[in-house]
Amino acid sequence: MTSLATRAPRSLIGASTVALLASLTMAQAFAADAKAPAKPDLARGQEIATQACVACHTADGSRGSPANPILAGQHADYLTKQLLEFKSGKRANPVMSGLAAPLTEADMKNVAAFYASKTAKPGAAKNKDTVLLGEKIYRGGIAAKQVPACAGCHSPNGSGIPAQYPRLSGQHGDYVEAQMVAFRQGTRNNSTQMTTIAAKMSDKEIKAVSDYIAGLR
């Protein structure tokens, strides 16, 4: 027969084990919370946008000057990446480099989230004579030049892929064209993929697909 004296230590060991497991579980939960990224502060993002960005990108990043990109509805991760690269000099632009210089990474994430939270307004193509060529390039690429379809990375409706490829739908055609030319010339060199693609395209092809993108929905 097992005595009470024998059973007691086992009971104590069981209680200790349960307490230890509970402690470990709580520690893991606290560690997970500590590693979780802070949520963007949209109010702070709006404050930064109002102070530094409004002159070129309008109050909500919508349809301002065709020379400047529409930021409303753009992926926050993509916008943060561009700001970091303006600050580091990987992407060259004197105005943007100067504006990005004083921003912390948290500031960049906040302002990027603010613009991403806005709804982009639809645009329209301007040149009806090149729409079919632009659509052909966007959806099917240029096989003879080994230019891939834009839709492969930026999606058929131009929504892009967060953190990888930007939203193009409704973007200013003039701005897209300028960036494609900059990639081709090497004056914008923060995407090897785009530099390679643009290098194979003519002025006519770049202009056509850029205009088509402006009306893409």
Side-chain angles (χ1 to χ4, degrees), residues 24-140:
L24 289 173
T25 301
M26 290 179 65
Q28 290 172 346
F30 283 129
D33 288 341
K35 292 179 181 178
K39 291 183 179 180
D41 185 340
L42 296 185
R44 174 57 180 156
Q46 182 175 14
E47 182 182 351
I48 295 170
T50 301
Q51 292 174 349
C53 315
V54 64
C56 295
H57 299 290
T58 74
D60 60 356
S62 59
R63 308 194 69 80
S65 168
N68 300 318
I70 297 167
L71 302 183
Q74 188 58 270
H75 303 305
D77 288 343
Y78 178 78
L79 291 177
T80 300
K81 177 179 181 291
Q82 299 310 301
L83 286 170
L84 286 169
E85 291 179 353
F86 280 128
K87 183 171 183 173
S88 70
K90 185 175 182 179
R91 181 173 175 182
N93 182 293
V95 174
M96 285 304 305
S97 294
L99 291 171
L103 299 180
T104 65
E105 186 170 346
D107 289 334
M108 295 177 186
K109 289 181 178 180
N110 290 336
V111 74
F114 167 72
Y115 284 126
S117 71
K118 301 302 177 182
T119 300
K121 299 176 182 177
K126 298 177 181 178
N127 191 342
K128 63 181 182 180
D129 297 328
T130 64
V131 167
L132 290 179
L133 174 60
E135 181 179 19
K136 182 179 179 181
I137 295 171
Y138 188 87
R139 300 193 179 281

Side-chain angles (χ1 to χ4, degrees), residues 185-200:
Q185 295 176 339
T187 52
R188 178 174 174 180
N189 55 8
N190 67 331
S191 171
T192 302
Q193 184 177 13
M194 286 306 305
T195 298
T196 301
I197 291 170
K200 301 174 183 179

Side-chain angles (χ1 to χ4, degrees), residues 159-177:
S159 60
I161 301 175
Q164 290 183 286
Y165 305 111
R167 173 192 174 95
L168 295 181
S169 175
Q171 185 59 264
H172 290 307
D174 292 352
Y175 176 76
V176 175
E177 181 182 357

